[in-house]
């Protein structure tokens, strides 16, 4: 990951990294111990954390450096900053948007906006071109954060059913010296709700793709249409939809196109 001093970015990366640990991994017990203290993490000492996770203090220190933090103290201050800012922002957004509404009304509002946003902005001819690009490729890379990639897990399986090699690549794992192999039969498909998210990683991938003559697709709600070969806008930027609610619907539309194209 390209390290930037942004509490939100680093906080999300940390949680994503911890979610990927398995029980045989030494970092698993440290991550579990950290999660138990998320509600009051500043008083936690590295000595206490090491004892609770049954690891050495040196192991705990290496764990936080692997997560992109210079020290345990830097981790704690950035994590508190990230969680506090996110809690305040989400509380304010929820109160502003759904004040006086019941849970059922809120769920209906979210579903309505998801469909409405997708219908208003979806370019079916462009989606058909992208699906055909997938079909003609030798390998496809879906690139996004954990949440976006989960939305396109089913399409990954559907493309595999058609004989395509399809890989998931998390933005957190994009590094300059370890970019995926590409050629003219490769499609790099990037999911990024906002152009503000992971701009350095996106540029690295797009530049490498151009150098290898690979095809590029970017699904976003905002951004420069010239960055990728195909820039597919979906949903309305800064709306209640927030980009994510439409992704599952978008994935289902593309999956249907993939299977219907066999009958054409």
């Amino acid at each position: 990951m390209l390290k930037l001093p942004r509490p939100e970015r680093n906080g999300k990366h940390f949680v994503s990294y911890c979610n990927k640990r398995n029980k045989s991994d030494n970092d698993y017990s440290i991550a579990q111990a950290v999660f138990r203290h998320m509600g009051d993490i500043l008083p936690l000492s590295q000595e206490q954390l090491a004892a609770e996770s049954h690891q050495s203090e040196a192991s705990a220190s290496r764990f936080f450096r692997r997560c992109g933090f210079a020290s345990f103290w830097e981790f704690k201050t950035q994590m508190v900053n990230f969680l506090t800012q996110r809690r305040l922002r989400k509380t304010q957004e929820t109160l502003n948007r759904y004040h006086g509404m019941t849970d059922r009304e809120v769920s209906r509002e979210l579903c309505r906006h998801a469909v409405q946003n997708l219908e208003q902005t979806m370019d079916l001819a462009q989606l058909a071109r992208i699906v055909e690009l997938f079909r003609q490729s030798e390998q496809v890379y879906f690139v996004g954060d954990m949440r976006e990639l989960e939305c396109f897990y089913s399409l990954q399986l559907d493309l595999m059913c058609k004989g395509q090699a399809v890989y998931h690549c998390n933005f957190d794992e994009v590094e300059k010296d370890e970019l995926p192999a590409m050629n003219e039969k490769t499609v790099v498909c990037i999911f990024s709700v906002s152009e503000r998210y992971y701009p350095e990683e996106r540029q690295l991938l797009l530049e490498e793709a151009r150098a290898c003559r690979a095809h590029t697709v970017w699904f976003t709600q905002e951004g420069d249409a010239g960055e990728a070969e195909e820039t597919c806008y979906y949903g309305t930027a800064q709306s209640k939809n927030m980009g994510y609610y439409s992704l599952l619907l978008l994935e289902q539309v593309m999956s249907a196109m993939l299977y219907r194209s066999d009958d054409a």
Side-chain angles (χ1 to χ4, degrees), residues 4-136:
L4 293 175
R6 302 176 185 173
E8 180 173 2
R9 170 80 162 277
N10 293 344
K12 287 181 177 178
H13 167 70
F14 172 77
V15 175
S16 176
Y17 177 84
C18 291
N19 286 341
K20 296 173 185 175
R21 300 309 96 195
N22 57 61
K23 291 184 178 181
S24 62
D25 191 330
N26 288 336
D27 286 348
Y28 177 85
S29 58
I30 300 175
Q32 293 294 301
V34 171
F35 279 10
R36 287 195 294 271
H37 289 275
M38 280 299 189
D40 189 24
I41 201 167
L42 283 179
L44 180 66
S45 69
Q46 190 162 295
E47 180 181 10
Q48 179 185 353
L49 176 63
E52 290 188 14
S53 60
H54 307 290
Q55 301 290 332
S56 68
E57 288 189 53
S59 295
S61 180
R62 288 193 294 270
F63 168 76
F64 291 108
R65 286 200 298 272
R66 281 194 291 275
C67 292
F69 300 98
S71 66
F72 182 47
W73 175 251
E74 182 181 86
F75 159 73
K76 291 196 296 183
T77 54
Q78 287 206 23
M79 203 67 191
V80 168
N81 194 341
F82 161 56
L83 294 174
T84 301
Q85 289 181 5
R86 181 178 175 84
R87 181 173 63 250
L88 292 174
R89 184 180 73 250
K90 295 293 288 185
T91 299
Q92 190 63 49
E93 288 175 356
T94 302
L95 290 175
N96 289 342
R97 292 173 180 169
Y98 309 120
H99 178 69
M101 298 173 67
T102 65
D103 289 342
R104 184 174 296 278
E105 289 169 336
V106 169
S107 65
R108 286 175 177 170
E109 182 77 353
L110 287 172
C111 291
R112 184 178 68 83
H113 273 277
V115 175
Q116 186 181 66
N117 270 335
L118 202 55
E119 286 181 336
Q120 288 175 347
T121 58
M122 189 164 48
D123 185 335
L124 292 176
Q126 183 184 41
L127 284 182
R129 288 198 306 271
I130 293 170
V131 170
E132 185 59 25
L133 198 59
F134 290 160
R135 287 173 57 87
Q136 298 301 321

Side-chain angles (χ1 to χ4, degrees), residues 138-142 155-157 159-160 164-168:
E138 290 182 355
Q139 56 186 5
V140 179
Y141 291 105
F142 285 163
L155 185 58
Q156 179 190 25
L157 297 180
L159 285 165
M160 286 180 170
Q164 258 60 44
V166 188
Y167 308 92
H168 274 193

